[in-house]
DNA sequence: GTGAAAGCGCTAACAA
DNA sequence: TTGTTAGCGCTTTCAC
């Protein structure tokens, strides 16, 4: 009933400890007969190597950590799955770690991934404790990259999507449909992505010689989208199109307009952002900006592993391109009564 | 630039290795002066203990693993946060691991949490590879519990919510409002929870001497909810109320009814399940069944830790009670033209 | 191809 | 209170 160790395998198989270790590590310098003997012994004994011992002996864990706060986001979900698969292909495992809101304060210190040498590298996914994390990770000399950073010029490697371009394209799409009264619902200032998307909107409007109208939502969520539209209508604003900084906001906005008797997209066009899972499930289907989640994850892994094995001395940050997905919530603007 | 180890601390602080170790483990048998000396030396050196060495030496990792497939679910999100907090309070860390759809097949074998002795215990969160996992975990003698199991009588400790009761209560609520033509949209057979919710519905209907009408959705999602209602209406079914087995289904159903000119809740009442984050954000706000996510997480941790430290020989499965949340999507039934 | 020996960094008896 | 002495289970030179 006690834990079976490599020594038991040695005994059972009749070869030396070193040979067993070699089999474990797929070394080619083991005679086939011996390999079989060892494999058989392992099987019989139900042997599994001790990861602690291996990590200790070779100085690395084969684990990559990723930190996140929310689980309820299609984009993060997609990124994480991509990371997981890329990592697997490289022989690494992924350990996620959620930062509770409560941890927000002393987060960096309490984080198990950072605590000790539990992982070989870390991916920071859109964290707000970015500054502390970066400091702590640099101090501990743990290789890391950041996906979706929020600090303007972090001194770290980042993997991002061009949110400025996304905002620009979204607005441009509306402009091309003949809209001129285009309102933007922007997410919290805290998000660099929100700020960039807004800049993109403003740029597109400026280029069209149109005055921007932006409403600041307190959160990236449905309720805020709803409230934003309601207050805007109360104030007499009559946009013919809305570019929402996130799909949740867009969904809330749609709800609100419908509540006021608007038909989408006849009376109002709506563009969201992120292509959340519900975007193509609701009615009308939401036109939105999609982030290349797979690519984001893959790039993060590629760069991080480069940093770990030191193959590339000077890794560079990456900025990817988003894509406009046109669905049914936007239409050409036709004046009507 | 080389890794600083406990030996460096020993040298710098002037005390013995064991004393340093004692400080590390908060042993009370260390003179305050020495403790300070050690602490100072650690700080100066920027020392952090090696988790691999610690795990190896004491035979446990202080890590608990949890497996999941989706990140986009409010209930799972809530459970995981609760688990994380409970664990933290007990000095454990939580490592999440997602099973890619691709892993579905040979999942148990490829799972890093199971692979070696990486964790002290595992929580299986609503997995479909339940059978394989259970087998593998038992073979490896890794303590584990299952939250939201899908196999009728798993030979394992489970923490669940009474889905039968939830379905019953949801239906009862509609019945109490005077509805008699109550349709149920059920989730995939694969889910034990879906089957139980349906049984609850059927029971309630039977008690009211009403014939049940159930539509099977292929997925717990918005699109399926939409399609279910559309086909049901095409077939001439005219329910006055719908109990959807999940909020996504409910949302899709609402969309479809609205699309057909129904007003909610005047013409049709809708009850969902799970109290997803959007349930109280959409319009009208969705009446639904809420699962005690915090309690689920806490209980899972409590039982798992009991199993690990062996304090309780015979842990028992737990079944918790869901709660009906009445909001605006349901109303008393009044005949009208 | 194979094996003996020397760690990896820490904890846990056991004495002192 | 503190230190000595063994390991924990595996990988990795370096000879054979």
């Amino acid at each position: 009933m006690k834990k079976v160790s490599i020594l038991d395998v040695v005994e059972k198989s009749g070869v030396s400890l070193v040979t067993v270790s070699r089999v474990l590590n797929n070394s080619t310098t083991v005679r086939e007969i011996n390999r079989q003997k060892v494999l058989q012994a392992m099987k019989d004994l139900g042997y599994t190597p001790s990861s602690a011992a291996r990590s200790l002996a070779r100085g690395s864990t084969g684990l990559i950590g990723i930190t996140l706060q929310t689980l309820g986001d299609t984009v993060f979900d997609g990124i994480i799955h991509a990371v997981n698969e890329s990592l697997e292909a490289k022989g690494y495992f992924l350990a996620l770690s959620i930062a509770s809101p409560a941890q927000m304060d002393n987060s960096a210190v309490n984080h198990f991934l950072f605590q000790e040498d539990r992982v070989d590298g870390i991916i920071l996914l859109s964290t707000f404790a970015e500054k502390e994390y970066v400091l702590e990770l640099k101090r501990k000399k743990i290789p890391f990259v950041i996906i979706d950073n929020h600090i303007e010029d972090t001194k770290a490697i980042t993997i991002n999507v061009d949110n400025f371009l996304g905002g620009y394209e979204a607005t441009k799409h509306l402009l091309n449909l003949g809209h001129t009264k285009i309102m933007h619902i922007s997410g919290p200032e805290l998000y660099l992505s929100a700020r960039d998307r807004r800049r993109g909107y403003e740029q597109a409007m400026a280029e069209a010689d149109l005055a921007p109208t932006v409403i600041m939502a307190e959160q990236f969520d449905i309720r805020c989208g709803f409230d934003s539209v309601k207050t805007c209508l109360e104030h007499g604003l009559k946009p013919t199109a809305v570019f929402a900084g996130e799909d949740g906001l867009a969904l809330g906005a749609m709800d609100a307009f419908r509540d006021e008797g608007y038909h989408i997209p006849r009376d109002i066009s709506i563009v969201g952002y992120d292509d959340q899972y519900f975007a193509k499930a609701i009615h009308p289907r939401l036109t939105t900006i999609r982030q290349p989640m797979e690519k984001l994850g893959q790039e993060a892994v590629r760069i991080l592993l480069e940093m770990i094995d030191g193959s590339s001395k000077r890794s560079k940050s990456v900025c990817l391109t988003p894509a406009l997905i046109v669905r049914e919530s936007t239409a050409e603007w036709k004046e009507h009564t």
Side-chain angles (χ1 to χ4, degrees), chain A residues 172-207:
Chain A
K172 207 71 184 161
H173 168 63
L174 261 10
L175 254 9
N176 290 340
L177 288 171
H179 292 276
T180 53
K181 287 147 79 179
I182 305 173
M183 183 173 89
H184 175 49
I185 306 177
S186 179
E189 278 290 303
L190 209 54
Y191 292 83
L192 173 56
S193 56
R195 303 197 293 274
D196 284 344
R197 288 167 198 177
R198 186 176 64 224
R199 284 197 306 111
Y201 159 78
E202 287 165 349
Q203 170 78 20
M205 292 297 274
E207 285 178 10

Side-chain angles (χ1 to χ4, degrees), chain A residues 256-272:
Chain A
F257 278 116
R258 236 176 344 219
D259 207 53
E260 297 285 334
Y262 284 66
H263 178 274
I264 305 165
R266 192 194 56 209
D267 307 322
I268 184 91
S269 281
I270 310 256
V271 179

Side-chain angles (χ1 to χ4, degrees), chain A residues 87-327:
Chain A
L87 241 25
E88 219 157 70
K90 296 285 187 174
Y92 280 87
F93 290 113
L94 177 65
L96 326 207
S97 171
I98 28 162
S100 303
Q103 279 185 326
M104 281 305 209
D105 317 310
N106 54 348
S107 41
V109 186
N110 279 345
H111 217 105
F112 93 88
L113 294 179
F114 303 17
Q115 196 89 328
E116 313 184 345
D117 55 350
R118 286 219 131 105
V119 293
D120 297 342
I122 290 184
I123 298 174
L124 256 28
L125 183 53
S126 189
T127 175
F128 285 117
E130 191 174 320
K131 215 167 192 171
E132 294 88 332
Y133 279 8
V134 169
L135 240 52
E136 185 70 8
L137 289 171
K138 288 203 165 174
R139 204 174 69 68
K140 297 230 174 102
K141 304 201 199 317
I142 303 178
F144 73 99
V145 298
I146 310 181
I147 298 180
D148 189 19
N149 63 304
H150 296 307
I151 296 179
E152 222 89 30
D153 35 32
T154 294
K155 266 323 236 179
I157 305 294
T158 58
I159 293 90
N160 274 303
V161 176
D162 191 336
N163 284 293
F164 174 84
L165 182 61
Y168 183 84
E169 295 284 356
T171 312
K172 207 71 184 161
H173 168 63
L174 261 10
L175 254 9
N176 290 340
L177 288 171
H179 292 276
T180 53
K181 287 147 79 179
I182 305 173
M183 183 173 89
H184 175 49
I185 306 177
S186 179
E189 278 290 303
L190 209 54
Y191 292 83
L192 173 56
S193 56
R195 303 197 293 274
D196 284 344
R197 288 167 198 177
R198 186 176 64 224
R199 284 197 306 111
Y201 159 78
E202 287 165 349
Q203 170 78 20
M205 292 297 274
E207 285 178 10
D209 266 330
L210 259 20
T213 310
V214 2
I215 295 195
M216 301 300 296
E218 285 182 11
Q219 303 261 4
F220 274 140
D221 72 14
I222 301 172
R223 171 71 39 189
C224 287
F226 186 88
D227 293 342
S228 297
V229 168
K230 284 288 185 175
T231 44
C232 121
L233 293 179
E234 275 166 18
H235 284 57
L237 289 173
K238 296 275 186 210
T240 66
V242 169
F243 162 42
E246 196 265 340
D247 284 350
L249 290 173
L251 180 53
M254 289 170 78
D255 253 357
F257 278 116
R258 236 176 344 219
D259 207 53
E260 297 285 334
Y262 284 66
H263 178 274
I264 305 165
R266 192 194 56 209
D267 307 322
I268 184 91
S269 281
I270 310 256
V271 179
Y273 207 110
D274 278 354
D275 197 18
Q276 295 284 340
Y277 73 96
F278 57 77
K280 63 170 172 296
I282 57 176
H283 293 81
R285 294 175 177 79
L286 185 62
T287 292
T288 190
I289 302 283
R290 178 174 231 275
Q291 312 211 35
M293 307 175 290
E294 305 74 15
K295 191 78 179 159
L296 272 169
Q298 289 162 4
E299 284 296 290
V301 168
R302 184 181 64 72
I303 294 176
L304 184 59
L305 294 188
E306 267 180 25
M307 294 171 73
I308 289 173
D309 73 14
S311 71
S312 163
K313 271 285 83 147
R314 202 181 304 281
S315 297
K316 281 178 61 184
S317 290
V318 163
C319 189
L320 304 171
T321 306
L324 174 72
I325 311 281
V326 178
R327 287 199 271 246

